[in-house]
Amino acid sequence: MSQFGGPNEFYGSGPSADASYNFDMPEFGQELNFQSFDNTQPSVPPNYDAAYAQPPAQGLGGFYDPTAYTDPAFAADKSGKQGSTAGAGNEFDDEPPLLEELGINPNHIFQKTLAVLNPLRGTDQQILQDTDMAGPLVFCLTLGGFLLLSGKVTFSYIYGIGVMGCIFFYCLLSLMVTRSQVTFGAVASVLGYCLLPMVVLSGINILITIQGTLGLIVSAISIFWCAISASKLFATAFSMDHQQLLIAYPCAVLYGGFALITIY
């Protein structure tokens, strides 16, 4: 700061020494134009003014119009979704029950069980020709369970004798029957349902010992019951007139094997 004589010389010589500093106020010769907007644009809903032009009839409820800003495309899409949902519900309503899809008919199971319990009872031929395996499986498992409670593990014997018996009776009935067609499923179903008296015998064996004279009598009754029921169902299912006694003897031999497993 030695080049300036005093403090006043610094401030006095500043503007004249450097001409790059210009503190003159600019002159605004241009006119400011502001843009104007039109409030009558077509984007406003047509029923906007109509909804608010009328005074509310009661309280403030008149100021709310739920249909004032409803988009027709959105309403159509929503109705289409509801229609598709209703259609899906109708499709599920038309489906058959689950037991029917699995091939399990509780009515047929009940009718066959009654036919075994009462051999003199008449049964429809269509029901007996049904290849229902739900009841036979339940009876076989129940028989094995009762024998297991008696201290005998005989599941393999039950299924082994049952399968061999079904094959034997299928071959035998195919040779004897001439009026209808014999199916392996129908034969196995009848033999499985007629196992019910043996299930009762195994249940009695849990409570009392049937290896004595009383046990032999009860076992003979159960074998006779199974043989009569099976021969009656076979004769009805395959139209075997006057052949019931011929088929009853092989049935008695088969169920005699199950009785031996139960007793001993």
Side-chain angles (χ1 to χ4, degrees):
M1 298 194 47
S2 59
Q3 59 181 348
F4 300 101
N8 294 331
E9 294 180 0
F10 172 76
Y11 293 103
S13 61
S16 62
D18 191 359
S20 61
Y21 297 98
N22 186 8
F23 296 98
D24 296 336
M25 295 297 295
E27 296 180 1
F28 296 96
Q30 299 178 357
E31 183 180 358
L32 299 178
N33 296 325
F34 297 95
Q35 186 179 2
S36 60
F37 297 92
D38 188 8
N39 60 351
T40 61
Q41 296 180 0
S43 60
V44 179
N47 55 352
Y48 178 81
D49 295 334
Y52 290 93
Q54 299 178 0
Q58 183 179 0
L60 298 177
F63 290 98
Y64 174 70
D65 188 4
T67 61
Y69 302 100
T70 302
D71 190 2
F74 176 75
D77 187 15
K78 184 177 180 181
S79 62
K81 289 182 179 179
Q82 292 178 354
S84 62
T85 305
N90 293 329
E91 291 179 0
F92 287 108
D93 293 338
D94 295 337
E95 289 186 356
L98 180 59
L99 293 178
E100 185 176 350
E101 291 184 354
L102 296 176
I104 300 175
N105 194 333
N107 185 24
H108 288 186
I109 295 174
F110 182 71
Q111 294 296 329
K112 288 183 179 180
T113 304
L114 290 181
V116 173
L117 294 176
N118 185 11
L120 301 178
R121 183 178 182 272
T123 310
D124 189 7
Q125 185 179 9
Q126 299 294 331
I127 296 177
L128 296 178
Q129 290 181 352
D130 186 15
T131 58
D132 175 31
M133 298 303 297
L137 289 176
V138 171
F139 291 158
C140 289
L141 291 175
T142 306
L143 177 60
F146 284 164
L147 293 178
L148 184 62
L149 293 177
S150 301
K152 303 174 184 178
V153 183
T154 57
F155 286 98
S156 60
Y157 293 101
I158 293 173
Y159 285 107
I161 296 175
V163 171
M164 295 301 296
C166 291
I167 296 174
F168 172 77
F169 273 91
Y170 174 72
C171 297
L172 180 63
L173 293 174
S174 298
L175 297 175
M176 295 179 62
V177 175
T178 57
R179 295 184 180 181
S180 60
Q181 184 179 3
V182 179
T183 59
F184 185 81
V187 173
S189 178
V190 171
L191 292 177
Y193 275 102
C194 293
L195 196 64
L196 180 59
M198 288 298 155
V199 176
V200 177
L201 181 63
S202 62
I204 296 174
N205 190 26
I206 299 175
L207 302 177
I208 60 176
T209 303
I210 57 175
Q211 293 183 357
T213 304
L214 180 62
L216 293 178
I217 296 174
V218 175
S219 300
I221 294 174
S222 300
I223 294 172
F224 180 77
W225 192 357
C226 293
I228 293 299
S229 299
S231 60
K232 176 65 181 301
L233 295 183
F234 280 137
T236 304
F238 303 118
S239 301
M240 300 174 62
D241 298 335
H242 308 292
Q243 292 180 330
Q244 181 178 354
L245 295 179
L246 293 177
I247 199 67
Y249 175 72
C251 293
V253 174
L254 175 64
Y255 291 109
F258 288 106
L260 291 176
I261 296 173
T262 304
I263 298 174
Y264 302 104

